Amino acid sequence: MSKLIVTLLSFFFAISAFAKINPDINYYTTRSDHFAIHHTLEQKQLAKEVAAIAESIYPKLQKKLNWTPTDTIHLVLDDANDYSNGIARVIPQNHITLYPTPPLTLNTLENTNHYLYFLIEHELTHAFHIEKSKGIPAIAQKILGRNQYFFPASLNPRWIVEGLATHYETHKEENTGRGISATYQALFRDEYLNGFKRLDQINQFTIRTLPAGLTRYLYGVFFIDYLAQTYGEDKITEWVENYSSYSIPYQINNNAQAVFGKDLFQLYDDFIVERSQFYKNQIAQIKKTGLSKTKQLSNIPIESQFVANQHYLYAIKSDAKSKSELLQIDKAGNATSLMPLDTTITLNQATADHLIITKKDVCDQYRNRYGIYRYQLKTNKLEAITQCGRHPYAIELADKQFIAVQLNNGNTTLVKLNTKGKFKQTITHKDNNTRFGQLALSPNKKRLAVSTWHKQTGWGIEQYDLQTQQWLKPVNNPSAAFFPSYQSDNVLLSSADNTGIYNIYRNQKIISNVVVAAFNPVAFNKQIFFTSYKNGLFFLTELQNTSQIIDPLTILNTEFIPKKAIPTTTTSEAE
């Protein structure tokens, strides 16, 4: 499950965690009313943006949590690593490390209209929530110092801490945040189908059952959202307020009883009943249209993204138990292991004799960054093209040059590299704030499909004409679209959530109807394959009836469709 789950797990934080900062880099400080932002000279403008965002969030959290932090909050910008993350702690001071690299694919962090705002809001919630101490704990801090046991919220179960931050990052009126994303709904729908976890399971600090560390975010946000809808947002504030003065740790049941009139076990049981009824109704609505006929090709769990050439499918085994492996899979589902993997790898492209992959390199003790590699299928050899070049996605062109996504300080650019991986030119877009993600090359090698993000429209698919060097008219999807690939020169496949559920699209027509989700469609052996999600894992699956065209309005009623994803009825398909 690795690629998605690695990203999901990356948001797990520990109060005592310390980020590694390179001591040889000069850091500067930009100050605002409530924050000190520590950054490199190159990040000066980014620091100003972070300060403005943080200051805009500060009074909102003051009101929501009825708390003003006791001192300046320190924010450190660390662009050394190619992942989206944040770490908050209150000991020995209020300190947050922000990794500004934005999410570039579907990984549960994609449902934002401003990644930095989303990240800062989540981590600041932790800072406010965990530091909030009144009564005896506050007096103890003044006498004995900032000890974890004098911060009552720090001793809450992790799923409550993360659930609150994820709840506050979610803005339903804007359809942003994980609490309203189609990805989270898919994951929790799968939990319903497999049987929701018991309260004692999610209360554990280390959760080993899938989806492992993600569990605290998933269950936490939906539980707190249930409490807010059932009892009101003011009760969430009161819940936090009461616990901040408890001098005896772990009184979560007493606190729940005092605020909601029920202990945590009763509240959790009520929540499970409500969610079960919700998903029962939702799945019944999905099935009314008729589910797509599908066939799981292999029982080997894989990562969400795979590629194919004329003869084989290539995927990364990922079962959350054993070491990952690069697999070659034939049309019958028989898998051959090509090599073991010890780092994060993305499969970008498969040709007749090699694969183009991007691999996260350990550049030094402070930096982990993506590089482009060519994997030779005959010799099983890896050839580095741009080691540590900060290229998370790349495609090899007909002339052996490359188009790649370039990362730098929270920004992405689309660049052309020569055959040796050296920079050649930047491919510009009329929207200077475009974020670039996954790439696909048309069979005739004349077009490039690009997953792009725009502030007003979010994630979608655009095409770039390699001959005229012009952007073509965007594929019109009213909601998030990812995983572009070509079935033919003029037929583009993708996975989009226009109905509130990720399904397969051929150009602008829905051609699948599944209960949980369908990701990463790839044409192979005259069929379309995708990754299905089941029991917390991804599996390679064949879509057997590709001529089926789904009317999106029949899949779900408006109760289950995100506000900005209002689909239009389609009854025919022209390719």
Side-chain angles (χ1 to χ4, degrees), residues 472-522:
L472 305 178
K473 184 179 178 180
V475 176
N476 182 29
N477 276 319
S479 197
F482 295 93
F483 301 111
S485 68
Y486 284 93
Q487 187 174 12
S488 64
D489 292 328
N490 296 313
V491 178
L492 188 64
L493 302 175
S494 64
S495 178
D497 72 341
N498 294 4
T499 62
I501 292 178
Y502 278 98
N503 270 298
I504 305 305
Y505 281 66
R506 183 162 53 208
N507 290 337
Q508 295 176 317
K509 310 300 187 293
I510 308 176
I511 60 171
S512 74
N513 184 32
V514 299
V515 169
V516 178
F519 303 119
N520 195 55
V522 171

Short mmCIF file of all heavy atoms in Angstrom, two decimals, residues 472-522:
data_model
loop_
_atom_site.label_atom_id
_atom_site.label_comp_id
_atom_site.label_asym_id
_atom_site.label_seq_id
_atom_site.Cartn_x
_atom_site.Cartn_y
_atom_site.Cartn_z
N LEU A 472 -3.20 22.63 -24.48
CA LEU A 472 -4.48 22.42 -25.12
C LEU A 472 -5.60 22.71 -24.14
O LEU A 472 -5.37 22.93 -22.95
CB LEU A 472 -4.58 20.99 -25.64
CG LEU A 472 -3.45 20.54 -26.57
CD1 LEU A 472 -3.64 19.09 -26.99
CD2 LEU A 472 -3.36 21.43 -27.80
N LYS A 473 -6.82 22.71 -24.63
CA LYS A 473 -7.97 22.96 -23.77
C LYS A 473 -8.03 21.91 -22.68
O LYS A 473 -7.94 20.71 -22.93
CB LYS A 473 -9.26 22.92 -24.59
CG LYS A 473 -10.51 23.26 -23.81
CD LYS A 473 -11.74 23.22 -24.70
CE LYS A 473 -13.00 23.52 -23.89
NZ LYS A 473 -14.22 23.48 -24.74
N PRO A 474 -8.20 22.32 -21.40
CA PRO A 474 -8.21 21.35 -20.30
C PRO A 474 -9.35 20.36 -20.42
O PRO A 474 -10.42 20.67 -20.97
CB PRO A 474 -8.39 22.23 -19.05
CG PRO A 474 -8.00 23.60 -19.48
CD PRO A 474 -8.35 23.70 -20.93
N VAL A 475 -9.13 19.15 -19.91
CA VAL A 475 -10.20 18.17 -19.78
C VAL A 475 -11.15 18.69 -18.70
O VAL A 475 -10.73 18.99 -17.59
CB VAL A 475 -9.65 16.79 -19.38
CG1 VAL A 475 -10.77 15.80 -19.15
CG2 VAL A 475 -8.71 16.28 -20.47
N ASN A 476 -12.42 18.83 -19.03
CA ASN A 476 -13.36 19.50 -18.13
C ASN A 476 -13.92 18.54 -17.09
O ASN A 476 -14.87 17.82 -17.32
CB ASN A 476 -14.51 20.10 -18.95
CG ASN A 476 -15.49 20.85 -18.06
OD1 ASN A 476 -15.11 21.36 -17.01
ND2 ASN A 476 -16.74 20.91 -18.47
N ASN A 477 -13.28 18.52 -15.93
CA ASN A 477 -13.79 17.77 -14.79
C ASN A 477 -14.10 18.74 -13.67
O ASN A 477 -13.22 19.52 -13.28
CB ASN A 477 -12.77 16.74 -14.31
CG ASN A 477 -12.85 15.45 -15.12
OD1 ASN A 477 -13.92 14.98 -15.44
ND2 ASN A 477 -11.70 14.90 -15.46
N PRO A 478 -15.32 18.76 -13.14
CA PRO A 478 -15.66 19.74 -12.11
C PRO A 478 -15.07 19.44 -10.74
O PRO A 478 -15.23 20.23 -9.83
CB PRO A 478 -17.19 19.66 -12.06
CG PRO A 478 -17.52 18.28 -12.51
CD PRO A 478 -16.46 17.93 -13.52
N SER A 479 -14.42 18.32 -10.57
CA SER A 479 -13.83 18.01 -9.28
C SER A 479 -12.44 17.42 -9.51
O SER A 479 -11.88 17.52 -10.59
CB SER A 479 -14.73 17.05 -8.51
OG SER A 479 -14.37 17.04 -7.14
N ALA A 480 -11.86 16.80 -8.49
CA ALA A 480 -10.47 16.37 -8.56
C ALA A 480 -10.27 15.21 -9.54
O ALA A 480 -11.02 14.24 -9.53
CB ALA A 480 -10.00 15.95 -7.17
N ALA A 481 -9.25 15.32 -10.39
CA ALA A 481 -8.90 14.26 -11.34
C ALA A 481 -7.41 13.99 -11.26
O ALA A 481 -6.60 14.92 -11.20
CB ALA A 481 -9.30 14.66 -12.76
N PHE A 482 -7.04 12.70 -11.27
CA PHE A 482 -5.64 12.29 -11.14
C PHE A 482 -5.36 11.11 -12.07
O PHE A 482 -6.23 10.64 -12.78
CB PHE A 482 -5.34 11.87 -9.69
CG PHE A 482 -5.46 12.97 -8.68
CD1 PHE A 482 -6.64 13.19 -8.00
CD2 PHE A 482 -4.38 13.78 -8.41
CE1 PHE A 482 -6.75 14.20 -7.07
CE2 PHE A 482 -4.48 14.81 -7.48
CZ PHE A 482 -5.66 15.01 -6.80
N PHE A 483 -4.11 10.63 -12.03
CA PHE A 483 -3.67 9.41 -12.73
C PHE A 483 -3.96 9.45 -14.23
O PHE A 483 -4.64 8.58 -14.76
CB PHE A 483 -4.33 8.17 -12.12
CG PHE A 483 -4.06 7.96 -10.66
CD1 PHE A 483 -5.08 8.12 -9.73
CD2 PHE A 483 -2.81 7.60 -10.21
CE1 PHE A 483 -4.85 7.92 -8.37
CE2 PHE A 483 -2.55 7.40 -8.86
CZ PHE A 483 -3.58 7.57 -7.94
N PRO A 484 -3.45 10.44 -14.97
CA PRO A 484 -3.67 10.45 -16.42
C PRO A 484 -2.90 9.34 -17.12
O PRO A 484 -1.77 9.01 -16.75
CB PRO A 484 -3.14 11.83 -16.84
CG PRO A 484 -2.08 12.14 -15.81
CD PRO A 484 -2.60 11.56 -14.53
N SER A 485 -3.52 8.73 -18.12
CA SER A 485 -2.84 7.78 -19.01
C SER A 485 -3.61 7.75 -20.32
O SER A 485 -4.77 8.17 -20.37
CB SER A 485 -2.77 6.38 -18.39
OG SER A 485 -4.07 5.80 -18.31
N TYR A 486 -2.96 7.26 -21.37
CA TYR A 486 -3.58 7.23 -22.68
C TYR A 486 -4.01 5.82 -23.06
O TYR A 486 -3.24 4.87 -22.94
CB TYR A 486 -2.61 7.76 -23.75
CG TYR A 486 -2.45 9.26 -23.75
CD1 TYR A 486 -1.43 9.87 -23.03
CD2 TYR A 486 -3.32 10.07 -24.47
CE1 TYR A 486 -1.26 11.25 -23.03
CE2 TYR A 486 -3.17 11.45 -24.49
CZ TYR A 486 -2.15 12.04 -23.77
OH TYR A 486 -2.00 13.40 -23.78
N GLN A 487 -5.26 5.70 -23.53
CA GLN A 487 -5.71 4.45 -24.13
C GLN A 487 -5.35 4.43 -25.61
O GLN A 487 -5.05 3.40 -26.18
CB GLN A 487 -7.22 4.28 -23.95
CG GLN A 487 -7.73 2.91 -24.41
CD GLN A 487 -9.20 2.71 -24.09
OE1 GLN A 487 -9.91 3.64 -23.72
NE2 GLN A 487 -9.67 1.48 -24.20
N SER A 488 -5.40 5.60 -26.22
CA SER A 488 -4.94 5.81 -27.60
C SER A 488 -4.55 7.27 -27.71
O SER A 488 -4.65 8.02 -26.73
CB SER A 488 -6.03 5.45 -28.61
OG SER A 488 -7.15 6.32 -28.47
N ASP A 489 -4.14 7.70 -28.90
CA ASP A 489 -3.65 9.07 -29.03
C ASP A 489 -4.68 10.12 -28.65
O ASP A 489 -4.33 11.20 -28.16
CB ASP A 489 -3.18 9.32 -30.47
CG ASP A 489 -1.94 8.51 -30.82
OD1 ASP A 489 -1.12 8.28 -29.90
OD2 ASP A 489 -1.79 8.11 -31.98
N ASN A 490 -5.96 9.84 -28.87
CA ASN A 490 -7.01 10.81 -28.60
C ASN A 490 -7.92 10.43 -27.44
O ASN A 490 -8.92 11.09 -27.20
CB ASN A 490 -7.86 11.02 -29.85
CG ASN A 490 -7.06 11.61 -30.99
OD1 ASN A 490 -6.32 12.58 -30.81
ND2 ASN A 490 -7.18 11.01 -32.17
N VAL A 491 -7.58 9.36 -26.75
CA VAL A 491 -8.43 8.88 -25.65
C VAL A 491 -7.62 8.88 -24.36
O VAL A 491 -6.63 8.16 -24.23
CB VAL A 491 -8.98 7.48 -25.93
CG1 VAL A 491 -9.82 7.00 -24.75
CG2 VAL A 491 -9.82 7.49 -27.20
N LEU A 492 -8.06 9.72 -23.44
CA LEU A 492 -7.35 9.90 -22.19
C LEU A 492 -8.13 9.25 -21.05
O LEU A 492 -9.34 9.44 -20.91
CB LEU A 492 -7.19 11.40 -21.91
CG LEU A 492 -6.31 11.82 -20.74
CD1 LEU A 492 -4.87 11.41 -20.97
CD2 LEU A 492 -6.41 13.34 -20.56
N LEU A 493 -7.43 8.48 -20.23
CA LEU A 493 -8.02 7.85 -19.05
C LEU A 493 -7.59 8.62 -17.80
O LEU A 493 -6.48 9.18 -17.75
CB LEU A 493 -7.57 6.40 -18.91
CG LEU A 493 -7.87 5.45 -20.07
CD1 LEU A 493 -7.25 4.08 -19.81
CD2 LEU A 493 -9.37 5.33 -20.30
N SER A 494 -8.45 8.63 -16.80
CA SER A 494 -8.10 9.27 -15.53
C SER A 494 -9.02 8.73 -14.44
O SER A 494 -9.97 7.99 -14.71
CB SER A 494 -8.24 10.79 -15.62
OG SER A 494 -9.58 11.17 -15.85
N SER A 495 -8.73 9.11 -13.22
CA SER A 495 -9.57 8.77 -12.07
C SER A 495 -10.02 10.08 -11.45
O SER A 495 -9.20 10.94 -11.12
CB SER A 495 -8.80 7.93 -11.06
OG SER A 495 -9.59 7.64 -9.93
N ALA A 496 -11.36 10.26 -11.33
CA ALA A 496 -11.89 11.52 -10.81
C ALA A 496 -13.04 11.26 -9.84
O ALA A 496 -13.67 10.21 -9.88
CB ALA A 496 -12.35 12.42 -11.97
N ASP A 497 -13.31 12.26 -9.00
CA ASP A 497 -14.31 12.07 -7.93
C ASP A 497 -15.54 12.96 -8.14
O ASP A 497 -16.14 13.44 -7.19
CB ASP A 497 -13.68 12.36 -6.57
CG ASP A 497 -13.42 13.85 -6.33
OD1 ASP A 497 -13.37 14.61 -7.33
OD2 ASP A 497 -13.26 14.27 -5.17
N ASN A 498 -15.94 13.14 -9.39
CA ASN A 498 -17.06 14.04 -9.68
C ASN A 498 -18.35 13.66 -8.96
O ASN A 498 -19.20 14.51 -8.72
CB ASN A 498 -17.33 14.08 -11.19
CG ASN A 498 -16.18 14.70 -11.95
OD1 ASN A 498 -15.16 15.03 -11.37
ND2 ASN A 498 -16.34 14.84 -13.24
N THR A 499 -18.51 12.41 -8.64
CA THR A 499 -19.74 11.96 -7.96
C THR A 499 -19.52 11.76 -6.46
O THR A 499 -20.40 11.27 -5.77
CB THR A 499 -20.22 10.63 -8.56
OG1 THR A 499 -19.23 9.64 -8.34
CG2 THR A 499 -20.49 10.76 -10.05
N GLY A 500 -18.34 12.13 -5.98
CA GLY A 500 -18.01 11.89 -4.58
C GLY A 500 -17.30 10.57 -4.38
O GLY A 500 -16.88 10.25 -3.27
N ILE A 501 -17.15 9.79 -5.46
CA ILE A 501 -16.42 8.52 -5.42
C ILE A 501 -15.45 8.49 -6.60
O ILE A 501 -15.82 8.84 -7.73
CB ILE A 501 -17.38 7.32 -5.51
CG1 ILE A 501 -18.24 7.22 -4.25
CG2 ILE A 501 -16.63 6.01 -5.72
CD1 ILE A 501 -19.24 6.10 -4.27
N TYR A 502 -14.21 8.10 -6.35
CA TYR A 502 -13.25 8.01 -7.46
C TYR A 502 -13.61 6.86 -8.37
O TYR A 502 -13.66 5.70 -7.97
CB TYR A 502 -11.83 7.85 -6.92
CG TYR A 502 -11.21 9.17 -6.52
CD1 TYR A 502 -11.22 9.59 -5.20
CD2 TYR A 502 -10.69 10.02 -7.49
CE1 TYR A 502 -10.68 10.83 -4.84
CE2 TYR A 502 -10.15 11.25 -7.15
CZ TYR A 502 -10.15 11.65 -5.82
OH TYR A 502 -9.63 12.88 -5.48
N ASN A 503 -13.89 7.21 -9.64
CA ASN A 503 -14.18 6.24 -10.69
C ASN A 503 -13.33 6.52 -11.91
O ASN A 503 -12.63 7.54 -11.98
CB ASN A 503 -15.67 6.28 -11.06
CG ASN A 503 -16.51 5.32 -10.21
OD1 ASN A 503 -16.30 4.11 -10.25
ND2 ASN A 503 -17.44 5.86 -9.44
N ILE A 504 -13.37 5.59 -12.87
CA ILE A 504 -12.56 5.70 -14.08
C ILE A 504 -13.30 6.54 -15.12
O ILE A 504 -14.48 6.33 -15.38
CB ILE A 504 -12.23 4.32 -14.66
CG1 ILE A 504 -11.57 3.44 -13.59
CG2 ILE A 504 -11.34 4.45 -15.89
CD1 ILE A 504 -10.34 4.01 -12.95
N TYR A 505 -12.55 7.46 -15.72
CA TYR A 505 -13.08 8.30 -16.79
C TYR A 505 -12.33 8.01 -18.09
O TYR A 505 -11.10 7.83 -18.08
CB TYR A 505 -12.94 9.78 -16.44
CG TYR A 505 -14.00 10.27 -15.48
CD1 TYR A 505 -14.05 9.79 -14.18
CD2 TYR A 505 -14.96 11.19 -15.88
CE1 TYR A 505 -15.02 10.22 -13.30
CE2 TYR A 505 -15.95 11.62 -15.00
CZ TYR A 505 -15.97 11.14 -13.71
OH TYR A 505 -16.95 11.55 -12.85
N ARG A 506 -13.09 7.96 -19.19
CA ARG A 506 -12.49 7.92 -20.52
C ARG A 506 -12.86 9.23 -21.17
O ARG A 506 -14.04 9.48 -21.46
CB ARG A 506 -13.00 6.72 -21.32
CG ARG A 506 -12.35 6.59 -22.70
CD ARG A 506 -12.53 5.21 -23.28
NE ARG A 506 -13.94 4.82 -23.29
CZ ARG A 506 -14.35 3.54 -23.23
NH1 ARG A 506 -13.47 2.57 -23.12
NH2 ARG A 506 -15.64 3.26 -23.27
N ASN A 507 -11.86 10.08 -21.40
CA ASN A 507 -12.10 11.48 -21.73
C ASN A 507 -13.02 12.06 -20.66
O ASN A 507 -12.65 12.09 -19.50
CB ASN A 507 -12.65 11.63 -23.15
CG ASN A 507 -11.57 11.29 -24.19
OD1 ASN A 507 -10.38 11.37 -23.91
ND2 ASN A 507 -11.99 10.92 -25.39
N GLN A 508 -14.24 12.45 -20.98
CA GLN A 508 -15.10 13.07 -19.97
C GLN A 508 -16.25 12.17 -19.53
O GLN A 508 -17.15 12.62 -18.82
CB GLN A 508 -15.66 14.38 -20.52
CG GLN A 508 -14.57 15.43 -20.77
CD GLN A 508 -15.13 16.68 -21.39
OE1 GLN A 508 -15.95 16.61 -22.31
NE2 GLN A 508 -14.71 17.83 -20.90
N LYS A 509 -16.22 10.91 -19.89
CA LYS A 509 -17.31 9.99 -19.59
C LYS A 509 -16.91 9.00 -18.51
O LYS A 509 -15.82 8.42 -18.54
CB LYS A 509 -17.75 9.24 -20.85
CG LYS A 509 -18.00 10.14 -22.06
CD LYS A 509 -19.09 11.15 -21.79
CE LYS A 509 -19.45 11.93 -23.04
NZ LYS A 509 -18.40 12.81 -23.53
N ILE A 510 -17.81 8.77 -17.55
CA ILE A 510 -17.55 7.78 -16.49
C ILE A 510 -17.79 6.38 -17.05
O ILE A 510 -18.86 6.10 -17.59
CB ILE A 510 -18.48 8.00 -15.29
CG1 ILE A 510 -18.43 9.45 -14.82
CG2 ILE A 510 -18.10 7.08 -14.14
CD1 ILE A 510 -19.40 9.76 -13.70
N ILE A 511 -16.81 5.50 -16.90
CA ILE A 511 -16.97 4.14 -17.43
C ILE A 511 -16.87 3.07 -16.33
O ILE A 511 -16.80 1.88 -16.64
CB ILE A 511 -15.94 3.84 -18.54
CG1 ILE A 511 -14.50 3.95 -18.02
CG2 ILE A 511 -16.16 4.77 -19.73
CD1 ILE A 511 -13.45 3.46 -19.01
N SER A 512 -16.87 3.49 -15.07
CA SER A 512 -16.88 2.50 -13.99
C SER A 512 -17.86 2.95 -12.91
O SER A 512 -18.16 4.14 -12.78
CB SER A 512 -15.48 2.32 -13.38
OG SER A 512 -15.12 3.43 -12.58
N ASN A 513 -18.33 1.99 -12.15
CA ASN A 513 -19.16 2.28 -10.98
C ASN A 513 -18.80 1.27 -9.91
O ASN A 513 -19.20 0.11 -9.98
CB ASN A 513 -20.65 2.19 -11.34
CG ASN A 513 -21.53 2.59 -10.16
OD1 ASN A 513 -21.15 3.43 -9.35
ND2 ASN A 513 -22.70 1.97 -10.06
N VAL A 514 -18.01 1.71 -8.93
CA VAL A 514 -17.52 0.82 -7.89
C VAL A 514 -17.97 1.33 -6.53
O VAL A 514 -18.36 2.49 -6.38
CB VAL A 514 -15.98 0.69 -7.93
CG1 VAL A 514 -15.52 0.11 -9.26
CG2 VAL A 514 -15.31 2.05 -7.67
N VAL A 515 -17.89 0.47 -5.53
CA VAL A 515 -18.35 0.83 -4.19
C VAL A 515 -17.33 1.66 -3.43
O VAL A 515 -17.68 2.65 -2.78
CB VAL A 515 -18.71 -0.44 -3.39
CG1 VAL A 515 -18.93 -0.11 -1.92
CG2 VAL A 515 -19.97 -1.08 -3.96
N VAL A 516 -16.06 1.28 -3.49
CA VAL A 516 -15.05 1.97 -2.69
C VAL A 516 -14.35 3.04 -3.53
O VAL A 516 -14.54 4.24 -3.33
CB VAL A 516 -14.03 0.98 -2.09
CG1 VAL A 516 -12.94 1.73 -1.31
CG2 VAL A 516 -14.74 0.00 -1.16
N ALA A 517 -13.52 2.66 -4.49
CA ALA A 517 -12.82 3.61 -5.35
C ALA A 517 -12.08 2.85 -6.44
O ALA A 517 -11.72 1.68 -6.27
CB ALA A 517 -11.83 4.45 -4.53
N ALA A 518 -11.83 3.54 -7.55
CA ALA A 518 -11.04 3.00 -8.66
C ALA A 518 -9.98 4.03 -9.02
O ALA A 518 -10.30 5.16 -9.38
CB ALA A 518 -11.93 2.70 -9.86
N PHE A 519 -8.70 3.63 -8.89
CA PHE A 519 -7.58 4.54 -9.13
C PHE A 519 -6.72 4.06 -10.29
O PHE A 519 -6.70 2.89 -10.65
CB PHE A 519 -6.69 4.63 -7.88
CG PHE A 519 -7.41 5.08 -6.63
CD1 PHE A 519 -7.47 4.27 -5.51
CD2 PHE A 519 -8.02 6.32 -6.57
CE1 PHE A 519 -8.11 4.68 -4.35
CE2 PHE A 519 -8.68 6.75 -5.42
CZ PHE A 519 -8.72 5.92 -4.30
N ASN A 520 -5.96 4.99 -10.86
CA ASN A 520 -4.87 4.71 -11.79
C ASN A 520 -5.26 3.79 -12.96
O ASN A 520 -4.73 2.69 -13.11
CB ASN A 520 -3.69 4.07 -11.03
CG ASN A 520 -2.41 4.09 -11.85
OD1 ASN A 520 -1.98 5.15 -12.30
ND2 ASN A 520 -1.81 2.93 -12.06
N PRO A 521 -6.16 4.20 -13.85
CA PRO A 521 -6.51 3.37 -15.00
C PRO A 521 -5.36 3.28 -16.01
O PRO A 521 -4.73 4.29 -16.32
CB PRO A 521 -7.71 4.11 -15.60
CG PRO A 521 -7.49 5.54 -15.22
CD PRO A 521 -6.87 5.50 -13.85
N VAL A 522 -5.12 2.08 -16.51
CA VAL A 522 -4.05 1.85 -17.49
C VAL A 522 -4.57 0.88 -18.55
O VAL A 522 -5.14 -0.16 -18.22
CB VAL A 522 -2.79 1.26 -16.82
CG1 VAL A 522 -1.77 0.82 -17.87
CG2 VAL A 522 -2.16 2.28 -15.87
#
